[in-house]
Amino acid sequence: MEEMLNLTHTWVGYAVLAVFVIGYYLIATEEKFEINKAKPALFIGTFSFMLIGIYFALNKLDPTPLHHEMQKLIEEIAEIFFFLFVAMTYIETLIERGVFDALRFRLISRGYSYKKLFWITGILAFWISPVADNLTTALILSTVLYTIDKHNTNFLVPGAINIVVAANAGGAWSPFGDITTLMAWTAGKGGFIDFLMLFPAAFFGWLLTSWLLSIFVPKGEPHFDALTTPKVELKNGAKVIIFLGFFTIFIAVVGHILFHFPAMWGMMFGLSLLQLYTFYHKRKYKEHINIFVNMSKVENDTLLFFFGILSAVGALAFLGWLIYVTKLYEIIGPTWANIGVGFISAIIDNVPVMAAILKANPPMGIDQWMLVTLTAGIGGSLISFGSAAGVGVMGRMRGVYTFFSHMKFAWAVLAGYILSVIIWYIQFEILGLY
């Protein structure tokens, strides 16, 4: 630790910090400069270690600690990278098999009222995101919402906020529902059951926000023309692939708990099962499901952003900058610091925030690690661009769901956030139910 602290006040310490700040500014303002956030993230992550390598070479330092740190970092990133890659491949395959198109058709064809559609899409977002990631869930259901009625903003805006809040809340109590929870799980900050214990806080926080938003949802029902809207059915093999997706998650969890395998190992095994099934499917139905084409549709920019930002945070940790995070926890205490993480996550993406906390590794019990997992997950809902789900929905419903339309209802999101923290406190600190 002393060596890392000394490096903060060297030219490489200041240089890497400057590169991170400039790069993160470009990430935060990607729409202004029209640059995909993966590009600056990947640059600052890789360039930072190049600078550190140059410093070690110029000063003829033993490179062993640097090599050891990079090997650990690669292992940490690979675990989450391949986990997400398989999950995204399954999602793309389900999209190709018409699963979500069929869901959208069934919702709009049953004559549900605006209020009922509001609740159905929110409930689906809350329960789908723990299995799929919150970004994919929010994108799919916001598309469903926008298809229902493209012009009724009184329905679309509360509905979009509801989906974002539900997707983030649903992801917060599942070890693989959000990148931040996945990071905490693979880092060993809690067992599978520990994350499930966050369900009451996540659920009731979302429920309060949804109830408050539902007050502003108009009465009536959207127009549906059965003659002009073609019926959508599931394609062959869709139900089998749904089952394989759940089975893959099951294998990943069981392998992690019983055999202490990295979670991605079970996921890659599940990918192999999907590949084998597509071979069988082709022979039975004479129809080819090209998994490699579905893989090409995976959001590689998200994966590369993740790789870059974790590498950059890893460089800051190696140099010793993250010791100041630990000091902050010591000054104000873990509870208030972790509650504050939620508000920071609303302004700064929760991935680098969580990565910094995990790298700083302040001394905390499971109760506090669960709190920071909860707040990092649901805190991004406070502002429209505070989470990947919110940014995705802003892009999908451009001009309808905006920063300003979200902020009109930010008080409802804040009320849910406060309730979630209160429930965590009662459950973990007063009752000790964890």
Side-chain angles (χ1 to χ4, degrees), residues 135-291:
L135 172 60
T136 303
T137 301
L139 285 175
I140 291 169
L141 288 171
S142 63
T143 301
V144 171
L145 200 73
Y146 196 57
T147 305
I148 292 171
D149 193 331
K150 296 181 179 180
H151 306 290
N152 193 337
T153 56
N154 292 329
F155 162 67
L156 291 175
V157 173
I161 298 172
N162 187 35
I163 287 172
V164 170
V165 174
N168 288 333
W173 62 272
S174 166
F176 31 78
D178 191 347
I179 292 179
T180 53
T181 53
L182 184 59
M183 289 163 61
W185 184 43
T186 55
K189 298 305 179 184
F192 182 77
I193 301 299
D194 295 320
F195 290 94
L196 298 186
M197 295 301 288
L198 290 174
F199 175 83
F203 176 76
F204 287 107
W206 161 71
L207 192 64
L208 175 60
T209 297
S210 290
W211 177 73
L212 293 172
L213 290 172
S214 68
I215 298 172
F216 299 91
V217 176
K219 297 180 180 179
E221 59 188 49
H223 173 71
F224 172 71
D225 190 344
L227 296 177
T228 59
T229 306
K231 187 177 182 180
V232 180
E233 297 287 353
L234 294 176
K235 296 181 181 178
N236 291 330
K239 293 181 180 179
V240 176
I241 294 173
I242 291 173
F243 168 78
L244 286 176
F246 281 106
F247 183 70
T248 296
I249 294 292
F250 173 77
I251 291 296
V253 173
V254 170
H256 188 69
I257 294 174
L258 296 184
F259 311 134
H260 305 290
F261 286 171
M264 53 76 61
W265 205 263
M267 295 296 287
M268 293 300 288
F269 174 70
L271 180 61
S272 73
L273 296 179
L274 180 61
Q275 296 275 20
L276 291 173
Y277 172 72
T278 58
F279 173 76
Y280 166 80
H281 181 92
K282 183 178 181 180
R283 294 175 68 88
K284 181 178 181 180
Y285 295 105
K286 308 302 179 184
E287 179 188 19
H288 182 42
I289 302 175
N290 196 326
I291 296 300

Side-chain angles (χ1 to χ4, degrees), residues 19-20 22-28 30 35-46 305 308-309 312:
V19 167
F20 182 84
I22 295 170
Y24 200 82
Y25 172 74
L26 292 174
I27 291 170
E30 62 173 328
I35 180 172
N36 188 296
K37 63 182 178 180
K39 296 177 181 179
L42 189 60
F43 176 78
I44 63 176
T46 52
F305 165 75
I309 206 68

